[in-house]
Amino acid sequence: QTTGLRDYTVTYPYQVKGVTVAEGSANANCTSDPYFGRKISGGWYVSGEGSYIEHVGDWYYLFISYGFFNPDGGYEMRIFRSQNPEGPYVDVRGNTAIQYDRYQMNYGTNAANNCGMKIMGGYQWGFMPEAELAQGHNSLLTDKFGRTLLCYHTKFYYPKDDYREYFHSVRLHQLFQNEDGWLVAAPYEFHNEKVTQSDIASAETISNDEIPGTYQMLRHTYKVDYANKAYQKPTNIVLKASDDDPYSGTMTGYGTGTWKRTPGTDFFELKFFNVTYRGVLCRQTVDYSNIPALCFTCVSSTGDGTDGGTSQLQIWGSKADAKAAIKCTLDSLVIPVSDGMNLTETVSLPTTGKFGATVAWKSSDTKILTNVGVVRASGEVTLNLTISKDGYSYSKDYAILVGDYSAITTLKGENEATQQVLNFCGQRVQQQSGGFCIVNGKKCMIK
């Protein structure tokens, strides 16, 4: 404790699975050695490197990186914990960090042994320019404010540039403990957020009214196909408040379930597919932006395997500010129509929103133009675009003449008294300020 060097006054017996035996009698299963000391993890050639132990709260957490540090190498961080620095260290399922008896592949698609809680895996939020893969070889620190930070390095997946896949970067995420004492990582990089574990456990820093809404959710799964650079993408879920309990509600989207928060705290729980996920609520800033978001991060402590449900699986949720999400979506859309245009062929209308915003199109006459942009007949329609999220929306109408009207004449400022103006149904109308009509027997666009 004073020098950081080994204290040679402490000695270790030769043991196999905790039982003292003659030295050298069973080297493969040795768990205590006079020279090497106490064995706390690994064995039988299973993958594991960059081990790190940090004391947080009431627990000692052991981090180990499995796999190889390449985008297709399956690199990932696993966690075990113990209340004694010498172990035994176990995961959520109670599996020991020590590999006994035989070799078993412990990561990747063909893993026979998934021991160790996986803190995160390869992922790409919708706004990220590339996927983040191969996270590992981490360290941990708790600062003077009581914030626990996970520092690790990662690589990326650039589908069109294999060389850049080998670039790497250092990342920093804040960690929290859930009510079961397991660590969960904040979804976005650390931006000097002020919340601490003490705040989470002792106050409602986030109001119940803020919780309902549309979230993007990421699931960090096991047995990922790393050889093909597989990674997770978000899906949308919607949380709704209960009519009679402000601390709970329902979940729809990726499965049907429920949510609740522990009164007086920011501890949070989701349950879907017969699996309970426990974690915390926290405020963050969305990566690559200045957009605020309400987030949750949880890990499952139960799971029966039904519908992909399993224990010790991490999930992240992000509810970006609604107005910012709508604006970001609008700015990103490539819209193939414009007000007053003549549309002669089917178009592809964009429907993908950003940060959980939804994009919807509605035609005033689907017999002429469908809601997805398919041309079916000739005529005049109004096509409406609506971008919405959590009760906020942006809407715009596009007046479109559908069909081949290459003979249309554009009239400007002609004398109304000399004109016979009809709509496309043949009914006499006053001269319009703008739009499509028939003037003196000619198809016209009046501007």
Side-chain angles (χ1 to χ4, degrees):
Q1 291 181 348
T2 57
T3 66
L5 300 176
R6 175 175 171 176
D7 182 356
Y8 285 96
T9 64
V10 178
T11 60
Y12 295 89
Y14 186 91
Q15 293 182 334
V16 173
K17 296 183 180 180
V19 178
T20 301
V21 296
E23 289 191 23
S25 60
N27 287 337
N29 288 322
C30 176
T31 54
S32 179
D33 181 89
Y35 178 77
F36 289 105
R38 186 84 62 191
K39 183 175 184 176
I40 60 174
S41 69
W44 285 93
Y45 303 100
V46 297
S47 177
E49 67 176 30
S51 55
Y52 193 90
I53 296 174
E54 182 74 15
H55 186 242
V56 182
D58 296 328
W59 298 92
Y60 292 89
Y61 294 94
L62 167 65
F63 282 77
I64 306 174
S65 294
Y66 292 173
F68 179 69
F69 184 41
N70 267 353
D72 58 357
Y75 213 46
E76 59 189 47
M77 294 171 282
R78 301 288 183 98
I79 304 176
F80 302 84
R81 74 178 185 185
S82 175
Q83 291 187 319
N84 186 320
E86 292 189 349
Y89 286 88
V90 298
D91 64 13
V92 176
R93 298 187 181 107
N95 297 319
T96 177
I98 299 175
Q99 184 75 21
Y100 287 120
D101 300 331
R102 67 190 186 282
Y103 170 80
Q104 288 184 315
M105 185 66 175
N106 61 344
Y107 68 95
T109 309
N110 299 316
N113 180 359
N114 277 319
C115 65
M117 186 185 75
K118 183 178 174 181
I119 192 69
M120 67 178 71
Y123 68 92
Q124 183 180 27
W125 294 105
F127 54 82
M128 291 172 63
E130 63 276 334
E132 178 182 307
L133 304 175
Q135 305 101 327
H137 220 294
N138 69 284
S139 59
L140 222 67
L141 65 91
T142 300
D143 68 11
K144 65 180 181 180
F145 302 107
R147 299 174 297 189
T148 300
L149 304 174
L150 172 70
C151 181
Y152 63 94
H153 59 181
T154 188
K155 290 190 176 180
F156 308 98
Y157 179 36
Y158 295 85
K160 297 181 180 179
D161 189 345
D162 290 340
Y163 175 75
R164 295 176 70 195
E165 291 180 1
Y166 293 91
F167 289 2
H168 93 286
S169 181
V170 176
R171 292 288 190 266
L172 194 67
H173 284 239
Q174 188 167 359
L175 297 183
F176 302 100
Q177 291 173 297
N178 69 6
E179 287 184 283
D180 298 324
W182 285 105
L183 294 176
V184 290
Y188 297 122
E189 289 189 71
F190 182 62
H191 284 82
N192 199 29
E193 287 86 2
K194 305 302 182 184
V195 66
T196 67
Q197 183 66 36
S198 177
D199 297 328
I200 295 288
S202 62
E204 295 179 9
T205 65
I206 294 162
S207 70
N208 289 325
D209 292 340
E210 294 179 77
I211 298 175
T214 301
Y215 292 74
Q216 290 188 294
M217 185 176 74
L218 273 169
R219 300 172 72 245
H220 296 283
T221 62
Y222 287 84
K223 294 192 174 183
V224 174
D225 186 4
Y226 293 109
N228 290 310
K229 303 181 182 70
Y231 54 88
Q232 302 301 316
K233 290 187 175 183
T235 56
N236 281 357
I237 65 169
V238 178
L239 302 185
K240 293 184 178 180
S242 169
D243 292 334
D244 53 5
D245 180 8
Y247 290 92
S248 66
T250 60
M251 166 187 158
T252 56
Y254 184 87
T256 300
T258 59
W259 66 267
K260 68 178 182 179
R261 64 103 55 88
T262 302
T265 75
D266 284 336
F267 288 124
F268 183 71
E269 179 182 297
L270 274 174
K271 186 174 183 179
F272 57 96
F273 292 150
N274 299 316
V275 181
T276 301
Y277 299 82
R278 294 192 177 95
V280 305
L281 296 166
C282 59
R283 298 186 194 279
Q284 286 204 277
T285 299
V286 175
D287 291 346
Y288 306 96
S289 78
N290 60 356
I291 297 175
L294 171 59
C295 300
F296 63 75
T297 173
C298 304
V299 62
S300 56
S301 57
T302 63
D304 59 9
T306 304
D307 296 320
T310 182
S311 57
Q312 63 182 25
L313 186 148
Q314 299 261 350
I315 58 173
W316 289 348
S318 171
K319 178 192 173 189
D321 175 80
K323 293 180 180 179
I326 292 170
K327 184 179 185 305
C328 184
T329 296
L330 181 63
D331 291 344
S332 70
L333 292 182
V334 178
I335 300 175
V337 296
S338 59
D339 194 37
M341 77 176 295
N342 179 202
L343 182 64
T344 59
E345 58 186 17
T346 293
V347 293
S348 178
L349 299 174
T351 58
T352 302
K354 299 288 188 180
F355 305 112
T358 59
V359 179
W361 295 88
K362 186 175 181 180
S363 171
S364 62
D365 191 340
T366 56
K367 294 180 180 179
I368 297 174
L369 182 68
T370 71
N371 295 331
V372 296
V374 177
V375 172
R376 286 182 171 172
S378 297
E380 187 176 4
V381 299
T382 299
L383 186 63
N384 173 262
L385 163 66
T386 299
I387 306 171
S388 59
K389 178 177 168 64
D390 299 335
Y392 294 91
S393 65
Y394 165 88
S395 184
K396 180 176 175 59
D397 288 335
Y398 298 90
I400 299 174
L401 185 63
V402 181
D404 186 3
Y405 291 95
S406 55
I408 283 181
T409 301
T410 300
L411 304 181
K412 294 183 180 181
E414 294 194 13
N415 188 342
E416 180 180 352
T418 66
Q419 297 175 352
Q420 184 185 52
V421 182
L422 306 177
N423 62 24
F424 275 25
C425 294
Q427 299 167 325
R428 183 70 181 265
V429 295
Q430 296 296 318
Q431 180 170 313
Q432 306 171 73
S433 59
F436 301 104
C437 59
I438 299 174
V439 180
N440 295 336
K442 296 181 180 180
K443 300 169 184 175
C444 300
M445 178 191 296
I446 299 178
K447 296 184 177 180

